[in-house]
Amino acid sequence: MSTIEDMSADYLRRMDAAAGSLQPERRAELLQEIHEHVDAAREAAGGDPVAMRNALDRLGDPVEIVAAAQDGPALVAVVAPRPGLGVEIAALLLLTLGSLVPFAGWIAGVVLLWSSRRWTTAEKCLATVVMPFGPAPALFAAGIALPSGSGPLTVIVLTTLVAFWVIAPIVVAVVLYRRARDRAAQESTDAATVSVRPSYRAA
Amino acid sequence: MEPGEARNSLTQLRRGVVEYCVLALLVKEELYGFDLIRRLSQVDGLVTSEGTIYPLLSRLRRDGWVSTSWRESDSGPPRRYYALTSDGHRALEAFTNDWRVFSRAVDDLLTKGST
């Protein structure tokens, strides 16, 4: 059976680890408060391990506490979320399947890609660079190369083309779709948090 | 409605209300975190994870609704005490008025619905 000291140390270790994602200033403040709380709880437990266990259970999961600390003042500036992922899905479809329409489809996809606020600039650059005119040109190239002979060199060239020009855009599209979906979900959580704070805010 | 959904709506309600309960506890006296949370936890169902009150207190401080000061303690290191500011007072008053009207209206409706 673990002692009160072990329990406290274990809890604080998990807390310190979970708080790693916070801004330094806020992390220092939160950790200091939680350490203080655990000290006070240890004192209140008066040597009773069960009382200490209960106190730590009531204090809650460190991950949950850190999540609560991440809802910061920036939330107030959150605009009403655009529901759905229509723009993002259209952008990704145009960047991949849309490239079957020479140039126009892919360019429309790039425009939509850069208009979305659910991707970072780095992600947008990646999607633009990794999908130059989409996977369709690779298929056309394969179509031209195929009749001209099927030696081992052609097979290697075709495999490489397919790998880099077809699979890479699809992988990037899937990753970007997931990120957009997660950020859309985060937006609605944030909006819910904002909406429960009505007009009592000091002017 | 399933009981689970009722609990979920309670979570939503709790989230909006708990910060005003914190302000209310500070009306009469300044408290340090551990003590404040212990009192808050005595209200059944109000706090599920006590640790999440600390980020809430931090937000209230940044909003200027509470202020903090360090005080020596008899046992151990100094403690951070929380006090209500005048902005916090005003916010609590505004909420209290709205809450009375709101809770009475909901009570009426729930009573009517059950008879």
Side-chain angles (χ1 to χ4, degrees):
Chain A
M1 179 164 174
S2 61
T3 65
I4 289 181
E5 291 307 315
D6 291 341
M7 276 189 261
S8 311
D10 176 58
Y11 185 88
L12 292 175
R13 208 166 27 239
R14 286 193 290 131
M15 188 70 218
D16 292 352
S21 58
L22 291 175
Q23 295 165 354
E25 194 189 330
R26 211 174 282 179
R27 177 173 60 221
E29 186 188 1
L30 180 65
L31 288 180
Q32 191 256 324
E33 293 270 44
I34 297 290
H35 279 248
E36 209 178 294
H37 188 106
V38 170
D39 284 345
R42 199 156 45 191
E43 202 180 303
D48 177 4
V50 178
M52 191 62 199
R53 181 77 270 156
N54 289 338
L56 291 176
D57 286 346
R58 281 202 312 275
L59 193 53
D61 183 352
V63 173
E64 205 179 309
I65 297 169
V66 170
Q70 270 155 349
D71 296 339
L75 288 185
V76 178
V78 167
V79 290
R82 172 165 50 83
L85 285 163
V87 171
E88 285 75 15
I89 290 170
L92 295 174
L93 285 178
L94 283 168
L95 284 171
T96 50
L97 300 179
S99 63
L100 292 169
V101 181
F103 301 106
W106 183 80
I107 289 167
V110 170
V111 170
L112 286 181
L113 172 79
W114 284 87
S115 75
S116 169
R117 287 158 47 123
R118 289 187 175 133
W119 288 309
T120 65
T121 307
E123 287 163 355
K124 289 171 182 175
C125 288
L126 177 71
T128 310
V129 170
V130 89
M131 303 178 179
F133 303 106
L139 298 178
F140 287 129
I144 293 162
L146 208 60
S148 69
S150 53
L153 190 66
T154 319
V155 172
I156 291 169
V157 168
L158 284 183
T159 313
T160 315
L161 266 178
V162 167
F164 282 97
W165 225 333
V166 179
I167 296 174
I170 289 169
V171 169
V172 169
V174 169
V175 170
L176 258 65
Y177 169 73
R178 288 191 172 167
R179 294 199 175 165
R181 187 192 54 191
D182 294 348
R183 279 167 201 153
Q186 184 61 42
E187 276 169 24
S188 43
T189 317
D190 291 354
T193 317
V194 172
S195 66
V196 296
R197 305 209 68 204
S199 54
Y200 312 112
R201 178 169 293 275
Chain B
M1 192 194 257
E2 295 293 312
E5 288 176 48
R7 262 202 303 281
N8 189 33
S9 63
L10 197 62
T11 308
Q12 299 289 333
L13 259 179
R14 190 188 291 130
R15 205 185 288 174
V17 159
V18 74
E19 63 190 85
Y20 298 101
C21 297
V22 167
L23 297 183
L25 280 173
L26 297 173
V27 167
K28 286 203 183 116
E29 57 189 323
E30 300 182 8
L31 296 169
Y32 71 99
F34 184 76
D35 199 12
L36 191 152
I37 288 171
R38 195 167 48 188
R39 294 181 195 205
L40 211 55
S41 296
Q42 283 163 2
V43 183
D44 194 26
L46 189 62
V47 180
T48 46
S49 164
E50 293 180 350
T52 59
I53 300 300
Y54 287 109
L56 173 71
L57 283 167
S58 166
R59 187 157 53 82
L60 292 175
R61 185 175 54 74
R62 288 196 302 271
D63 286 352
W65 287 4
V66 302
S67 59
T68 58
S69 57
W70 291 94
R71 285 204 210 154
E72 295 298 324
S73 77
D74 302 333
S75 51
R79 289 165 172 166
R80 190 199 294 261
Y81 272 74
Y82 291 89
L84 201 58
T85 63
S86 51
D87 277 350
H89 262 292
R90 274 198 293 279
L92 179 61
E93 260 170 45
F95 175 79
T96 308
N97 290 333
D98 282 2
W99 176 259
R100 292 225 169 94
V101 174
F102 174 76
S103 64
R104 200 177 303 133
V106 174
D107 273 347
D108 282 354
L109 212 66
L110 293 176
T111 316
K112 265 185 219 152
S114 64
T115 51

